[in-house]
Structures are given as structure tokens and as C-alpha cells.
Amino acid sequence: MRRISVICLVLALAACASGYSQFYTALPGATPDVIASRRASPPLATPLVNYSAGVPDPDQYARLGYVAIGYSSFNSGRSESEKDALAQGRSVGADLVVIVNPAFTGSVTNQVPLTTPTTSTSYTSGTATAYGTGGSATAYGSSTTTTYGTKTTYIPMTVNRYDYGAVYFVKIKYIFGANWRALTNEERAALQSNSGVYITTVVNDTPAFVNDVLAGDILLKIDGQPIYGEQAASDAFAQKHGKAVTLTLSRNGKLLEKTVTLAQ
């Protein structure tokens, strides 16, 4: 009996767990310490929420200053609550939760056994006659027999299943206000140089934005120093908080320079 109770308790707890928390995956490098050091402000008491018909476009949110820190993705046969997605967002310190609209993936029908106790009762009666020197005597008697058992009935149950998902974002502080990637071999060949990073997005209302740095620009130099890769660009900006820097950019094959005052 105790083992049955423990099993029932485990099953009940599993049934109550949120899919958004069970199937959460943190993105590489998104540790609590890194998130705390990069965020623009303390986490909100309740994260903002957006909805998406499919996988959210990270550039859409990058332009608003958000970076993804993790995601939840799972298939479930029960209704998953938006409140659970927001609760998971709070637990990881997200400022914004983008909930992917559930997508129906099909129905599953199973036979669920239902076992109930059964009893059956039979009755018997009889007579017996005894003979002796004094004559004969007849005795009458009856008995009741009860048999205990079980009966199993199979009940069809159909469960509709859906894909669920959510992406969790944090708003971060920017010194410059752009995201970049390493150059491809084709881009290096066109530039005839190994230096530079490709600007993928420019964040609204940042130094890069107000100085008309554009997505698609290639950042070649900072204060005349060539930039060899993504980390080199990050390190160069990190050393110049609040200072004015001269950027050398390639835009549509033409070189241009911009002076940008970085944020503190």
C-alpha cells in the first residue's frame, strides 16, 4: 500500500510540473553571472510578453536591445498555461517572453483500463434425515457463499497534442549598439583583407543608431586599428567607454569614416 501511495504521489507531481520549466534550455554562455553583468536594468517583476506564429526572429528583438538567453520547446497532450511560461521567465530573470502559438500535431487514442471490484453470492439449502431406535429425525439447513473478484473495462480516451514553445530575452546595455558576425571567405576576398566584422543588426536609440551605422556595413577599423574578428571588436569597444572613436566602415564596396561617442 505504501509503495502504491508513493507511486501515485510521484505521478501527481509530474503531472503538475510545467512543460515550460521541464524543457527549458539555456543558450551557451547565458549564465546568471553573465546575464547580470550585461543587463540594462534589474529584472521586471513580471516579464513583458509577446506572441509569435513561429520561431521568433532574433533580429527583430535585437533591434530593440534584447538578446535571447534560453528557450522552451516541447509537445504536450494537456493545455499549457501562459502563466507557466511567465513563471519560467521570472525564474531565469527574463525581461521579455515570446510565446510561440501552440501548433496542433494530431490526436492519440488509447484504451484506458478501469478496474472495479465485483462480488457474487450463492445460496444453498438441504435436508437430512437420521434414523435410530427411537424413530427418525429430519434436519433442515442453508448456507451463503460470497466470492470476491474484479472486473476490467477498457475506456477509449482521445488526447489532442500540441507543440509549445517560448523564447526568453533580456534587455542589455550597449556601449556602441550593434551586433556583428565574422566575415565569410567571400567577404574577405572582396575586401582583400582578413580584418573586419559584418554588422548584422543595429539597436534602436544607441550611438551606432543615431550615427547612421547600418546593418550590412563592415566595420574594418576602430581608431585606425584593424579589427580581426568578433572578440577583437568587443574588446576594442569595451576599452573606450564614453569616448569618441573613429570608425572605418565599408558600405557597398565604398570606404567611409564616422566619429561616434560611445555610451558609458
Side-chain angles (χ1 to χ4, degrees):
M1 177 63 71
R2 181 178 179 182
R3 182 179 178 183
I4 293 174
S5 299
V6 171
I7 292 173
C8 291
L9 178 60
V10 171
L11 292 175
L13 291 174
C16 292
S18 161
Y20 290 104
S21 61
Q22 278 186 294
F23 300 101
Y24 175 78
T25 300
L27 292 177
T31 64
D33 288 344
V34 169
I35 293 171
S37 68
R38 296 193 63 194
R39 66 183 317 133
S41 58
L44 301 173
T46 300
L48 303 175
V49 60
N50 279 357
Y51 302 90
S52 175
V55 177
D57 176 8
D59 285 347
Q60 172 187 350
Y61 295 98
R63 289 189 289 270
L64 300 175
Y66 292 99
V67 295
I69 59 172
Y71 64 92
S72 301
S73 180
F74 58 99
N75 185 271
S76 178
R78 68 180 186 183
S79 178
E80 297 285 344
S81 170
E82 174 185 310
K83 292 181 179 179
D84 291 333
L86 293 177
Q88 179 59 23
R90 283 195 299 272
S91 73
V92 298
D95 296 314
L96 169 68
V97 179
V98 180
I99 299 174
V100 180
N101 296 334
F104 177 67
T105 59
S107 299
V108 177
T109 301
N110 291 313
Q111 299 289 328
V112 179
L114 177 64
T115 301
T116 55
T118 61
T119 60
S120 61
T121 304
S122 60
Y123 301 92
T124 59
S125 61
T127 60
T129 302
Y131 298 92
T133 56
S136 62
T138 300
Y140 300 90
S142 63
S143 65
T144 301
T145 302
T146 302
T147 302
Y148 298 92
T150 59
K151 177 183 178 181
T152 300
T153 303
Y154 290 88
I155 301 172
M157 179 175 290
T158 299
V159 176
N160 294 325
R161 301 194 66 87
Y162 292 83
D163 280 340
Y164 291 88
V167 182
Y168 306 88
F169 292 86
V170 166
K171 195 162 192 176
I172 66 172
K173 56 188 176 186
Y174 281 94
I175 301 169
F176 175 51
N179 298 305
W180 48 75
R181 62 163 173 79
L183 298 180
T184 65
N185 289 334
E186 292 76 14
E187 289 162 347
R188 291 190 181 98
L191 290 168
Q192 292 293 289
S193 174
N194 287 318
S195 71
V197 290
Y198 184 95
I199 304 294
T200 56
T201 52
V202 175
V203 181
N204 295 352
D205 303 321
T206 61
F209 181 86
V210 298
N211 285 277
D212 294 325
V213 176
L214 304 179
D217 288 349
I218 295 177
L219 174 60
L220 299 172
K221 299 178 182 180
I222 300 175
D223 285 339
Q225 297 299 312
I227 300 300
Y228 291 101
E230 298 167 88
Q231 190 60 51
S234 297
D235 292 343
F237 282 123
Q239 296 167 10
K240 299 177 182 291
H241 285 252
K243 296 180 180 178
V245 297
T246 299
L247 309 180
T248 303
L249 302 166
S250 174
R251 178 179 296 171
N252 298 323
K254 296 181 180 180
L255 294 180
L256 66 152
E257 288 191 346
K258 287 183 176 290
T259 300
V260 177
T261 300
L262 304 179
Q264 290 288 350

